[in-house]
Structures are given as structure tokens and as C-alpha cells.
Amino acid sequence: MRREYFDNNATTPVLPDVFEAMRPYFSDHFGNASSIHHHGQETRAAVERARDSVATLLGCRAPEIVFTGGGTEGDNLGIFGVLRDDAHVITSTIEHSAVLNTCRQLETLGVAVTYIPVDSECLVDPDDVRRALRPNTQLISIMMANNETGVVQPVEEIGKIAAEADVYFHTDAVQAAGKVEIDVERIGCDLLTISGHKIHAPQGVGALYVRKGIQLTPRLFGGRHERSRRAGTENVPGIVGLGRAAELAQAGFTNSEVARMSSLRDQLQTVLLREVDESVVNGMGSPRVPNTTNIRFEHIEGEALVIALDLKGLAVSTGAACSSGAIEPSHVLTAMGLRPDQARASIRFSLGKQSKPEDVDFAIGLVPNTVAKLRELSPVYARR
Ligand SMILES: Cc1ncc(COP(=O)(O)O)c(C=O)c1O
């Protein structure tokens, strides 16, 4: 059965080139990167080459990169790592749970947290961030691109506000990396998180940029790996994969790959909006990453559409989370002011480097009919 994958914001396949770069580090080059003999030196050199590649992608210096076990760990390390006593933190209501739940945990420890709302186009207003500053604000953590809508936040303006107030600025760039160019100097951030599996490297590896001079408190205690910022033997194959994926991500901005992805996404979006009445793109009015479109097909249950499409070979997703058997509407879409039924009627299509025009044609061939069938079965649609 033909299967096409439009859920690259959940995870991306490891590219063949990335896999080949990693392969020798599972067997031939297996040394512990902390060992001083030949085997260790070989893998140490590979880890440092990967650090250079990730630093190039982010526009920083190699020693400012800390390898982590993924985006969640990077967010936790960055946020917890800079806070001192009596802290106030500013974040947004649309963050990924890796940031939101870290902030909720901080609250249980006595840290005050302000959650900045977004407008109907999924944008944080930098003036709201400025107004939320308090004398004891120590950190602002606002994501660069949202995982559900793909909306890119005004991080450069927020960076300026943070610098003026002398407050640390962390940005979760997990969904921005490889899709929009990142330059930590231009953004003005002190901490920035990326994750390997969103840029065609494996799951379970990532990196945190930590501006030079910041004394980061570690979350893990053990050896002096990663300059004592992240204890634990390095995941050498994963780090090598992340380095190669970072090089390919960087190349995508000049070899027209990102532009190609953007035009495929636009084509998918345009045809679906034309073929399905009462369909709307959530966050259409904002700058968005080139691979994502979040479409609301009014009067359907997104979860039912995801299942129906999966049975026909198309993998997409809703931002909905299933908690205790009930489907909760997406916190991002409800933060944008959508009613619960509208949030539940929304589907995310996210493309990857492997996406081809034929895949888009396949999706276009399936989605309008499937939506129409679900609507036929819907009493709400019939009564409207
Ligand atoms: C915006 C964002 N931040 C953080 C994460 C967590 O990254 P990881 O899965 O590598 O822990 C994700 C994953 O979906 C994400 O989309």
C-alpha cells in the first residue's frame, strides 16, 4: 500500500547521507570520546567536527554548543540552567510542552512565571513581553517557530527587549532549524535549542547554544563532558548525524531546497483551500516556516480525519492531545482564540526534505474526498 508522510514536525526520516555519515561510528570508530588513546581521539575529532557544523548553522562559536539528548533536554537545561533565587520568567502560552511544563515545574519551586498570550494569527506582541518585565525577571523564553502552526515569532525584537532589560533570552528553535536561517547574534539570544530528529538526524540527540560567559548550572551530574555542562558519555553516532544534518540544513538555504519545500507546501495549501469549502489556514497572516500548513476544515473532527487518511496511506496530525480518554483541543489553537470545535477541526501538514511533488498530488487526491465523506456523516454539518 502506498504511504506518504506529511508529519515532519513530529519527526523526520534520517537522510541516507546522514545515515552513511553515522554508520562507521557504530562499529569501526567506536571509541569513547573521552579516552586518550587512538579510538577516543578518533571519535573526539568527529564530535568536534560536528560541533563546528552545528555552530555554523546557528552562527555561533563551536565552544558555545552543548550536545544534548534532544530538544526537551535542551529546553530544560537552558531554562533551569540560568535561573538564580527569587526568579521571574516570561514565556508564551503557545510554547511546546518541553518549555511549558518546565515553567510549570518552576512554579512549583516558587518561581513566578508570566505566560504571554498570542493574537489570532499566533503571534506574541513584543510590547506584551516588555510590559511583563519585573525587577526580578531573569529569563524570557519564547519559541522561534511554533510546531503546530509554523508561525515564526518576532524573536529579534524580543532579543532587543531582553538585552535592554539585561535579562537572559532563550528561544526554542526546534521547529525553525533548517527552515529559516538562524543567527544567534541577529536574534540576540543567550540560549537556543535545536533537536536532531526535526532536521533529518536521529531521535535522541540535540544541541543547546549557550552564549560565551554564561555560567550554566547543569541538570545532570557526573563526568566533565561538554565542559561540565552536560555529564554523560557523548552519543557519538547521534552527534555525527546531527553535524551532517546541520550541514545539509545549511546547504538547503542556498541550493533552493528550502524554496522547493515552500512551493510544495504552498501548492498543497492552495489546492486544499480551493477544493474544500469552509477551510481556513490557521496563522496564514503571519510569517511561517516553509514546510508547515495548519488547515481547519470546519465541521469535522480532526482526529477522525487523521484516522481516515491514515487508512488510505496519508500520515498527518492534529495538535490535539489525548488526556484521560478525552481529546483536548490544541492549547496553541485555543490560545489563538479558536473555539474548541474549530481547534479540533484543524489538521497539520508538515513537509520534509524527502517530500516530492507526487506526494503532494497524492494528498490532494485524498483530502477533499475524505473531508466530504466525514461531513456527510456529521449531524452538525447537516444542521448548519
Ligand atoms: C517546538 C518544540 N520544542 C521541543 C520539542 C522537543 O524535542 P525532542 O522531541 O527532541 O525532545 C519539540 C518536539 O516536537 C518541538 O516541536
Side-chain angles (χ1 to χ4, degrees):
M1 175 179 163
R2 181 171 179 187
R3 286 199 178 274
E4 299 301 348
Y5 184 75
F6 280 84
D7 198 13
N8 289 273
N9 286 9
T11 199
T12 55
V14 172
L15 288 174
D17 203 337
V18 171
F19 186 66
E20 286 313 316
M22 295 171 66
R23 188 198 291 273
Y25 293 92
F26 288 108
S27 48
D28 297 349
H29 310 316
F30 58 84
N32 182 321
S34 299
S35 299
I36 57 172
H37 48 58
H38 164 82
H39 301 278
Q41 283 178 25
E42 215 169 40
T43 47
R44 168 56 52 203
V47 166
E48 297 315 317
R49 277 196 301 275
R51 203 184 303 279
D52 286 338
S53 303
V54 173
T56 302
L57 181 69
L58 305 184
C60 65
R61 288 172 288 259
E64 294 174 311
I65 295 297
V66 178
F67 288 117
T68 64
T72 303
E73 187 190 321
D75 286 339
N76 274 263
L77 178 58
I79 292 171
F80 271 95
V82 292
L83 296 182
R84 305 289 172 258
D85 288 348
D86 185 31
H88 169 241
V89 173
I90 299 172
T91 188
S92 79
T93 50
I94 55 150
E95 298 297 312
H96 187 270
S97 52
V99 168
L100 275 183
N101 287 339
T102 301
C103 288
R104 288 192 187 121
Q105 180 62 19
L106 288 173
E107 287 183 289
T108 69
L109 301 173
V111 174
V113 181
T114 302
Y115 298 88
I116 305 288
V118 291
D119 65 12
S120 60
E121 295 299 321
C122 199
L123 278 176
V124 168
D125 180 347
D127 283 335
D128 285 343
V129 176
R130 195 193 308 275
R131 279 191 285 269
L133 286 166
R134 297 182 192 171
N136 64 335
T137 306
Q138 294 181 9
L139 173 73
I140 298 170
S141 180
I142 306 272
M143 69 197 326
M144 189 162 176
N146 182 264
N147 42 301
E148 292 187 28
T149 59
V151 168
V152 178
Q153 298 301 323
V155 283
E156 291 174 31
E157 280 177 74
I158 297 168
K160 286 199 188 83
I161 292 167
E164 278 163 23
D166 197 17
V167 163
Y168 290 121
F169 178 32
H170 166 254
T171 188
D172 176 335
V174 166
Q175 295 290 350
K179 300 169 192 165
V180 289
E181 292 199 58
I182 297 178
D183 179 346
V184 293
E185 290 308 326
R186 212 183 52 231
I187 297 170
C189 58
D190 303 290
L191 302 145
L192 180 145
T193 306
I194 64 163
S195 172
H197 73 109
K198 312 293 181 173
I199 61 165
H200 299 277
Q203 295 160 354
V205 66
L208 176 68
Y209 155 75
V210 183
R211 184 181 288 280
K212 186 177 177 213
I214 292 181
Q215 284 300 320
L216 197 75
T217 310
R219 296 295 291 158
L220 301 176
F221 299 92
R224 304 212 328 242
H225 310 85
E226 297 296 297
R227 297 168 169 239
S228 299
R229 293 171 296 186
R230 199 274 187 179
T233 302
E234 289 89 347
N235 166 9
V236 177
I239 289 171
V240 168
L242 179 61
R244 185 68 191 121
E247 290 165 11
L248 296 173
Q250 185 64 32
F253 296 114
T254 46
N255 67 10
S256 76
E257 212 169 41
V258 173
R260 189 189 65 89
M261 198 184 322
S262 174
S263 78
L264 282 181
R265 187 275 311 265
D266 289 348
Q267 191 202 346
L268 174 69
Q269 185 178 279
T270 307
V271 176
L272 292 183
L273 290 187
R274 193 181 64 216
E275 303 269 307
V276 184
D277 60 353
E278 295 186 74
S279 56
V280 180
V281 174
N282 296 315
M284 178 90 161
S286 296
R288 288 179 301 154
V289 288
N291 80 316
T292 308
T293 184
N294 187 307
I295 308 185
R296 184 165 92 235
F297 301 107
E298 301 280 9
H299 319 295
I300 60 137
E301 276 295 336
E303 210 70 1
L305 181 57
V306 169
I307 293 165
L309 290 173
D310 188 46
L311 290 172
K312 296 175 182 171
L314 186 70
V316 295
S317 99
T318 61
C322 188
S323 66
S324 53
I327 297 169
E328 295 288 331
S330 143
H331 72 282
V332 174
L333 301 179
T334 49
M336 291 164 65
L338 267 63
R339 294 189 313 264
D341 64 297
Q342 292 178 312
R344 276 197 286 262
S346 300
I347 295 289
R348 177 184 72 189
F349 299 83
S350 51
L351 285 69
K353 278 184 188 283
Q354 79 287 5
S355 303
K356 293 190 281 304
E358 310 85 271
D359 309 348
V360 169
D361 292 342
F362 182 70
I364 289 169
L366 286 180
V367 176
N369 286 339
T370 315
V371 172
K373 290 222 174 72
L374 286 177
R375 283 179 174 170
E376 270 168 32
L377 299 172
S378 159
V380 187
Y381 188 67
R383 278 203 307 269
R384 87 197 190 288

